[in-house]
Amino acid sequence: MPTYALPSTLFILINAVCFQLVWWSGVIAQNQLIILSILLIIGHFLLSNSARHDALLMGVGGAIGIVVDSLLVWFGVFEFNIIPYWLAILWCYFALSLDYSLAFFKTLPLWLQSILGGVFGCLSYLTGAKFDAVVLPLGYEKSALILALIWSGLFPVLVWVSKRIAPANMVLENNQ
């Protein structure tokens, strides 16, 4: 598949905007706009100069997120009115953002990654609940505490995964 690599600053900006589009389309319209999110992921790969690396990070990071959210459903922290395919796509794009628009988190100390992950990860789900994208049967306060604790560990793990995948996979890609 041909790629049309963009200058990195422009690609980072596009990645940030596309992540917001995927998030908002999922939260507002759930599965109704899933084709938009899929097209944005395809666009990412068409514009990326490291598609193999991005695919690996998307697979690993997306899988981790989907498993965590599935466990939260299993344990009754989340409920959905429909099967949230949009959320799986959102996890995939979030993973793609780790090396682009969210890459600056890699330079932060672990404790700050943890705090910011706990706050913003939690707020993302609480906001989604306000838009009826997810139901929080335990209530906002208890759900917020659980989500903040999970995201304070999950986000640094995802940042670490993106750091670990980058060096080895970039060498493979640059040799071809």
Side-chain angles (χ1 to χ4, degrees):
M1 169 176 8
T3 60
Y4 307 96
L6 294 175
S8 62
T9 304
L10 179 57
F11 192 68
I12 289 168
L13 179 62
I14 290 170
N15 178 267
V17 169
C18 289
F19 176 66
Q20 290 303 309
L21 285 170
V22 171
W23 192 90
W24 281 104
S25 68
V27 167
I28 301 289
Q30 284 99 55
N31 293 338
Q32 295 175 22
L33 289 177
I34 199 167
I35 191 70
L36 171 65
S37 297
I38 291 169
L39 290 173
L40 291 172
I41 287 176
I42 291 169
H44 173 93
F45 283 100
L46 289 174
L47 297 174
S48 176
N49 61 2
S50 57
R52 185 179 297 165
H53 162 77
D54 292 352
L56 181 60
L57 183 56
M58 183 180 77
V60 173
I64 291 169
I66 291 166
V67 166
V68 169
D69 277 354
S70 297
L71 289 170
L72 288 169
V73 169
W74 179 267
F75 287 111
V77 178
F78 293 161
E79 287 179 5
F80 293 95
N81 297 323
I82 58 170
I83 297 173
Y85 298 115
W86 64 271
L87 189 54
I89 300 295
L90 176 58
W91 269 109
C92 290
Y93 211 95
F94 179 78
L96 288 174
S97 299
L98 290 168
D99 277 349
Y100 299 101
S101 57
L102 300 177
F104 67 94
F105 282 99
K106 292 179 183 182
T107 64
L108 300 178
L110 183 62
W111 65 268
L112 190 52
Q113 290 175 8
S114 182
I115 290 171
L116 294 173
V119 169
F120 291 110
C122 172
L123 286 176
S124 180
Y125 285 92
L126 295 179
T127 303
K130 291 286 186 186
F131 285 96
D132 297 322
V134 61
V135 176
L136 303 172
L138 302 178
Y140 278 83
E141 294 80 17
K142 192 180 270 188
S143 297
L145 178 61
I146 292 167
L147 289 167
L149 290 172
I150 288 171
W151 270 89
S152 68
L154 178 60
F155 186 66
V157 166
L158 291 168
V159 170
W160 178 82
V161 165
S162 74
K163 284 182 184 179
R164 296 294 298 173
I165 287 176
N169 198 44
M170 291 302 234
V171 169
L172 287 174
E173 210 159 291
N174 291 335
N175 287 334
Q176 296 188 359

